Amino acid sequence: MSRRALRRLRGEQRGQEGPGLGELGLEPGPERAREGGPPPAPGKGSRGPRRAGVSNRFELIPAEESEDEAAAGEERPDTRLSDQDTAGGNQEGSKDRSKEGAVTEETDGDGQREGQEQLDQTLATSNKPRKKKKKRKTKKNSAGETVEDNELEDIDSLLERIEDPRLAPQSQGGITTDSRPLLYVEHRNLNPENELKRYFGARAVLGDQRPRQRQRQYVRSMWLTAPKNTWPRYSKTGITMQLLDTRRGVQHFTFEHHREYQQVQFKFLDAVESMDPNNIVLLLQMNPYHVDSLLQLSDVCRMQEDQEMARDLIERALYSLECAFHPVFSLTSGTCRLDYRHPENRAFFLALFKHLMFLEKRGCPRTALEFCKLILSLDPENDPLCVLLLIDFLSLRAREYTFLTRLFQEWESHRNLSQLPNFAFSVPLAYFFLSQQEERPELERSQARERAARLIQLALIMFPSVLMPLLDHCSVQPDARVASHPFFGLNAQISQSPALNQLTSLYVGRTHALWKDPAVMAWLEPHVHEVLRMVEAQDALVQEAEHKRKIRYQSAPRNIYRHIILSEMKEATAALPLEVTSQPVMGFDPLPPLDSIVSYTRPERTSHPSNESTLSLFFRSLLPNFNLQGDGRHDGDDEAGAAQDLNQGVNRLMAAMRDMLANIQFQEPPRDDNPEGDGDWD
């Protein structure tokens, strides 16, 4: 309790608390009181009731008063106002006390006892205002906390509703679906380090990279790749992105090459035609962020088993393209489109595809799946790289079973995904894995189990040629009934069309490792026997599937051939038709579309006359820039410059011969330092 509160209870004013007579040893006795001596003046006499045995008046102040005053800082202005208001009342009370007569000894003793009781009561109740203050603050805080508690209760109830599987949105098969767009891309899933940290921990992934980050020079922060210190300094390459138009909420973009970049592109085409990778290396030394050169040289490094350098070149190409993005272009929205028919856009598609292939081999299937979704979102209608043949495999590797089943349910009606062997077999496998997850409700697991059984039987009926190669790759020996039945035998593989053979070979070669699980084989076996029972019963589904196989799959579209070439699956590449394998395939633009939209063309090279002499052809084989006839004239006066052209041709020939003779070096025969020949044989 504060001194102000004590003064208010005593009716005194600040400044009147002088030492009492009892404290000075001059307390008036009963004789003086009977004689009617004058009462002590205010401030000089007794202050009223005081506690006996207390010589220090500050002992009446509780120790917690400072904390109480500090906590009640908001109430101090009101307290000051109340002190000012009670000041006048305290003065009037002191005047009234001064007008009172002297009291007798009994009266003084009674007053002292009453004062003692009053002071004890005051001390006893001194904590009550503090408790009331705390109660008031508790009420205020409790009022505020009540609101916060209500908000927390609302948030908790919302989270419970979201997490409750009974209230979550469900698909037709009972599997929980996501409210976000199907091809929604998350930025955090584009970084392979995040996935590696989940597998091995941050310490194992980063290692000693953290101290190096402080010494690293400033570079732009990117989503697709992380720039490295070993890369050359980036400068504008001449690539820009333009927004063409916006239709129905979908934005169409395209890359553009400036004149400087076009000149570098022409030099790159010359280097490719020379069939010498060193020319591409020289071009990259002058233009370190030329995208097509990076893509082509990456293929050369990969063929030479230099996987690290090949991956680094692809990441550098992605970095160069991302630096040229339009400010409105978004990787995550799924509403930005690029037309593959424009040659300028193909480098971005190819760089993304090759990057996800490296990520999958590196052991980052979740990140590879995110890049696959990004490629599909750029042109979902045409799918120029046919990533639909790959997205099911990455979903199973990343254990994103819900995404795969949702993709199948939403796109089956307009894309006929069930007519692709990879979706026909991967989707029931995804439902089987969902039915094995114990954390899911029993109803949802049973529905997933039923859908898996129905879909795997339809897949075996539609594509019977998949079973035997799949069991062969899994090193599983089928039983006698399955091995001897003609429906799954060799006849099923021979009778199918080459296009269907390419699809089945691609799927078996890519995903056979996912079927090696003994639990998967145990689940597959009864369904194979059920399909054989339906075949022997001549079920209508079997006849319908055979009719579909004969009508469809006559020839594969160009994007499937492009996907097989980029995937480099031996089983599928061996099944490519002759018209694809006979033409040269370049890594920077494999199988360009037949309806390409060309914005600029390469200037025609000077054509050499066909009636050249043998000597001229010989020197051109040594020096590609050599031309005996000189530059062709287009002004028509050939006769006037014939003599001059002949002289220039002869001079070029002599200069070429001098250069050739100057570069000829003769090696001396090795000397035999040991003529006796006593050396050891290697």
Side-chain angles (χ1 to χ4, degrees), residues 21 25-41 44-45 101-105 108:
L21 295 177
L26 300 175
E27 188 172 354
E31 295 83 2
R32 185 172 181 179
R34 288 192 186 98
E35 293 176 358
K44 297 181 181 180
V103 292
T104 59
E105 183 178 1
D108 192 6

Side-chain angles (χ1 to χ4, degrees), residues 222-485:
M222 295 297 174
W223 293 114
L224 298 178
T225 57
K228 300 180 181 179
N229 295 330
T230 56
W231 290 359
R233 184 182 181 89
Y234 178 79
S235 60
K236 291 185 177 181
T237 58
I239 302 180
T240 58
M241 178 183 282
Q242 299 296 331
L243 175 61
L244 297 179
D245 58 353
T246 303
R247 298 189 299 268
R248 298 179 180 178
V250 178
Q251 298 171 329
H252 296 264
F253 296 86
T254 184
F255 284 99
E256 291 185 354
H257 294 172
H258 292 175
R259 177 176 292 273
E260 297 81 5
Y261 194 89
Q262 294 178 11
Q263 299 299 325
V264 179
Q265 187 73 12
F266 299 152
K267 295 179 181 179
F268 164 73
L269 296 177
D270 294 340
V272 171
E273 290 182 355
S274 67
M275 305 299 292
D276 188 0
N278 294 324
N279 294 333
I280 303 178
V281 174
L282 295 176
L283 183 62
L284 279 176
Q285 291 179 357
M286 301 300 296
N287 305 274
Y289 287 95
H290 183 257
V291 179
D292 288 346
S293 298
L294 293 171
L295 296 178
Q296 188 69 27
L297 189 60
S298 175
D299 290 344
V300 175
C301 294
R302 186 169 44 80
M303 294 177 183
Q304 297 177 355
E305 301 299 330
D306 192 354
Q307 302 292 334
E308 187 66 24
M309 178 58 68
R311 182 167 58 90
D312 187 79
L313 293 173
I314 294 298
E315 292 179 359
R316 198 198 301 183
L318 283 177
Y319 177 74
S320 176
L321 291 169
E322 190 174 0
C323 290
F325 278 178
H326 193 275
V328 187
F329 186 80
S330 174
L331 296 172
T332 60
S333 63
T335 59
C336 297
R337 302 287 185 264
L338 286 175
D339 194 349
Y340 193 80
R341 295 177 298 174
H342 292 272
E344 298 86 351
N345 298 336
R346 297 170 193 168
F348 188 55
F349 283 89
L350 297 172
L352 289 175
F353 188 89
K354 294 182 179 182
H355 184 57
L356 76 86
M357 295 300 292
F358 281 117
L359 289 173
E360 193 273 329
K361 294 178 181 178
R362 190 182 175 187
C364 301
R366 183 66 184 88
T367 309
L369 174 62
E370 211 70 13
F371 275 92
C372 190
K373 292 161 60 177
L374 175 59
I375 297 175
L376 188 58
S377 67
L378 295 176
D379 195 355
E381 298 298 330
N382 300 317
D383 192 11
L385 300 184
C386 204
V387 293
L388 283 176
L389 299 177
L390 176 65
I391 196 169
D392 63 300
F393 168 68
L394 296 177
S395 300
L396 294 175
R397 280 285 312 276
R399 299 182 180 180
E400 293 291 331
Y401 310 127
T402 305
F403 167 76
L404 180 58
T405 56
R406 182 188 174 191
L407 175 64
F408 179 75
Q409 292 169 5
E410 294 187 8
W411 283 25
E412 168 63 18
S413 59
H414 64 282
R415 298 294 292 268
N416 292 328
L417 297 182
S418 61
Q419 304 305 308
L420 294 175
N422 59 315
F423 273 94
F425 282 88
S426 294
V427 172
L429 184 60
Y431 276 116
F432 169 74
F433 286 139
L434 286 174
S435 66
Q436 300 299 312
Q437 296 179 353
E438 297 181 355
E439 64 273 9
R440 294 185 175 273
E442 183 60 31
L443 177 61
E444 185 176 334
R445 294 174 59 186
S446 62
Q447 292 177 349
R449 197 177 300 110
E450 293 175 0
R451 288 185 63 87
R454 182 169 57 87
L455 291 177
I456 192 61
Q457 294 177 11
L458 293 177
L460 291 172
I461 293 174
M462 186 67 191
F463 305 103
S465 60
V466 175
L467 180 63
M468 298 307 292
L470 184 61
L471 296 178
D472 187 23
H473 280 75
C474 296
S475 302
V476 175
Q477 182 67 29
D479 56 10
R481 182 189 178 193
V482 176
S484 60
H485 202 282

Side-chain angles (χ1 to χ4, degrees), residues 74-75 134-146:
E74 298 178 358
E75 298 179 3
K134 288 186 178 180
K135 287 181 180 179
R136 287 195 298 269
K137 289 192 294 183
T138 304
K139 290 180 180 179
K140 293 179 182 179
N141 293 337
S142 62
E145 290 174 1
T146 302

Side-chain angles (χ1 to χ4, degrees), residues 106-212:
E106 293 81 8
T107 307
D108 192 6
D110 296 339
Q112 185 174 0
R113 286 191 297 272
E114 292 176 359
Q116 179 69 27
E117 294 175 358
Q118 184 179 0
L119 184 57
D120 293 341
Q121 185 178 2
T122 303
L123 292 175
T125 59
S126 60
N127 291 331
K128 291 183 180 180
R130 182 169 9 103
K131 290 182 180 179
K132 289 181 180 179
K133 289 181 181 179
K134 288 186 178 180
K135 287 181 180 179
R136 287 195 298 269
K137 289 192 294 183
T138 304
K139 290 180 180 179
K140 293 179 182 179
N141 293 337
S142 62
E145 290 174 1
T146 302
V147 178
E148 293 177 0
D149 291 342
N150 293 335
E151 293 178 355
L152 292 176
E153 290 177 0
D154 295 340
I155 295 175
D156 293 338
S157 62
L158 289 175
L159 291 176
E160 291 177 359
R161 292 180 60 187
I162 292 174
E163 295 176 357
D164 191 355
R166 296 173 298 177
L167 301 177
Q170 294 184 352
S171 63
Q172 298 176 359
I175 306 301
T176 305
T177 58
D178 196 352
S179 59
R180 294 178 299 184
L182 179 63
L183 299 179
Y184 177 79
V185 178
E186 296 185 18
H187 280 146
R188 61 185 178 91
N189 290 331
L190 293 175
N191 188 358
E193 290 188 356
N194 294 336
E195 185 174 2
L196 294 175
K197 289 177 185 177
R198 291 196 297 267
Y199 296 154
F200 309 106
R203 185 180 299 275
V205 175
L206 296 179
D208 56 347
Q209 294 182 8
R210 293 181 179 178
R212 297 179 181 178

Side-chain angles (χ1 to χ4, degrees), residues 577-589:
L578 184 61
E579 60 269 13
V580 176
T581 57
S582 60
Q583 56 180 322
V585 178
M586 298 298 176
F588 66 94
D589 190 9

